[in-house]
Amino acid sequence: MRHDISLMTSVWGDWHTDAFLRLNLPSLLTPRNLRALAAMHHVSFVIFTTDADRTRIEASAAFARLCELMTVSFEHVDNGEIHDPVVTQQRVWWEAIAHVNRLGTHLFFLPPDVIWSNASMEHIGTAMAGGRHIVIIPWTVRVVAETFQPAITSYLRDRDDGIESR
């Protein structure tokens, strides 16, 4: 069964935008992730972010690759409301839920600071095609960004599948 899926992330500020562009998005662009999910289902990607961070995201090579796979849109997050990031994140989640309710799609939150192993999205897409309606993914593993980010960035850059992580 083919589903309509709205992937959603919220990202703002230097640290999260950097994690999104250098780690999260390149991991999603590995061959058996978003490409595989988009082959099984109709997928769109919504990014909640500030104007400045949108400009930075749109200028990246990884973003251009994402746009080749699916429709990507942006929702504005005002800099003035980020003084309380938890409240802002909750508002974004409620807006995302309202968005998918209007469209009648499935919602898939993608935190900007999570790295996906190759084939994660393929497995999720297969589960959904097989009738699963809820997929729970634990995002509880934390790493030391100062050491992990350089190591994984180097790994993603050196892969043979053409993923550019910068």
Side-chain angles (χ1 to χ4, degrees), residues 21 52-64 74 164 166:
L21 293 175
D53 293 318
R54 176 181 178 167
T55 299
R56 186 172 168 206
I57 292 166
E58 288 180 317
S60 73
F63 178 76
F74 288 91
E164 183 178 328
R166 291 185 184 232

Side-chain angles (χ1 to χ4, degrees), residues 6-11 20 24 28 34 37 44-46 93 107-114 116 121 124 137 139:
S6 296
L7 305 170
M8 302 214 181
T9 194
S10 58
V11 57
F20 176 68
N24 179 262
L28 287 168
L34 291 183
L37 184 65
S44 63
F45 202 113
V46 181
W93 288 340
L107 173 59
F108 193 151
F109 286 118
L110 295 172
D113 55 350
V114 170
W116 297 90
M121 296 295 143
I124 292 166
I137 296 146
W139 297 304

Side-chain angles (χ1 to χ4, degrees), residues 18-116:
D18 188 57
F20 176 68
L21 293 175
R22 289 180 179 262
L23 304 173
N24 179 262
L25 198 48
S27 75
L28 287 168
L29 292 170
T30 57
R32 293 177 63 196
N33 275 334
L34 291 183
R35 183 173 306 283
L37 184 65
M40 288 184 262
H41 302 284
H42 181 262
V43 183
S44 63
F45 202 113
V46 181
I47 302 170
F48 289 80
T49 194
T50 64
D51 290 337
D53 293 318
R54 176 181 178 167
T55 299
R56 186 172 168 206
I57 292 166
E58 288 180 317
S60 73
F63 178 76
R65 300 253 339 259
L66 177 65
C67 291
E68 292 171 4
L69 296 176
M70 64 193 63
T71 301
V72 181
S73 62
F74 288 91
E75 292 291 330
H76 178 73
V77 174
D78 190 85
N79 284 322
E81 67 183 309
I82 300 174
H83 66 279
D84 188 340
V86 172
V87 170
T88 303
Q89 185 60 58
Q90 289 173 343
R91 182 192 60 78
V92 166
W93 288 340
W94 285 112
E95 282 187 30
I97 291 167
H99 179 88
V100 299
N101 282 336
R102 280 191 307 277
L103 296 176
T105 65
H106 292 272
L107 173 59
F108 193 151
F109 286 118
L110 295 172
D113 55 350
V114 170
I115 296 176
W116 297 90

